Amino acid sequence: MSLELKSGSENPLDGFSTGLDFNPAAVDIDNDGDLDIFSGSYFGDYSFFRNDGTNISPSFSDQTETSNNPFQNMQVGNRSRMEFVDLDNDGDFDMFFGDNGGYIKYRENTGTASAPVFSSTVTNSNYFSRDFGVHANIEFVDIDNDNDFDAFVSSGDSNIYYYENTGTVTVPVWTERTGSLNPLNGASTNTYLYGDFADMDNDGDLDFYTGSFEGFVFYYLNTGTVTAPVFVLQSGSNNLLSDISIGSNGRLDVGLVDINGDNVIDAFVGKRAGGTVSYYEGSSVVLGISKVEDENIKLYPNPVSDILHIESKSLDGSMRIYDVTGKEVLSMNIAKQIDLRILNKGVYFVEIFEGNSSVTHKLIKN
């Protein structure tokens, strides 16, 4: 694939000046089917750029200083970094964040998926009961394909810590894995890591891009499998963002997301100095799936609220469902009916495998 730098009107965040340490986090916070963007900052407050367009034609407005910002007037000290996840499977997003003191904290969503309400009081001020050192950062991802979220934590000691969820999708139990059991063990750029996961090479598993305090972007290719990842550092032309360099103490954050609904991963890169966010539009590769839709396979109703019906010449195969960030949310054998009530509202992509071929259908969940 390729990632091409876009400017002016081709950059969805063009014209918005961000504060120090902009770190983008994309989430459909108002449950309207498109992705909004939040960021923490050096001073511990939160920016909010609401998507007033659609999932294929985003148009952002700065809502940071308005009552529409669910984190208005909240701050947690220097260098807050945000991560949204439905960790208790209740249908709405809670917000986790790292801070400069080395702790992972979270604010619980006591509202709904469409009207979130986040407590001004930190729900848990030391989520893992551990000080990770300065510049703590957390990423949730289903890295072992068992349909629950696992956690990676990075910090100023240049290590990445891995916590496998050995509990359930509704009640996580965190078990730290070290050494060879940590798929990112040894993945260090000497200092702080600020990254994101996505399937960048269209092979069905998740790869890892990260910015760094030195002002470079590093790419770790997953050469393992969807259930047993093995990450290998790439260089030169294999790293699609290798040309980015803003010097020592430049600090870059990378956010990977399909922001324009074309099934291809795009990248936002924030800088320690703030200013305009760089936007790299992806092309050629979809989110681990094919763009082709097959008339011989029908999915209905679409949009769907609960039960999805599948018509196919053959039911001998498997299927996977991805959200708009490229994360796999369901995996199963093809069946005539699939219960999708566990999914949040939004846009998804259904990949269906039959024999040696695969096809993809876009799906809207109401």
Side-chain angles (χ1 to χ4, degrees), residues 208-221:
F208 181 62
Y209 263 97
T210 178
S212 69
F213 197 74
E214 296 93 337
F216 296 98
V217 175
F218 296 83
Y219 174 39
Y220 288 88
L221 174 69

Side-chain angles (χ1 to χ4, degrees), residues 293 299-305 308 361-366:
E293 295 196 6
L299 279 62
Y300 66 91
N302 191 6
V304 61
S305 297
L308 178 68
H361 289 257
K362 185 176 179 178
L363 181 70
I364 298 175
K365 173 68 166 60
N366 285 337

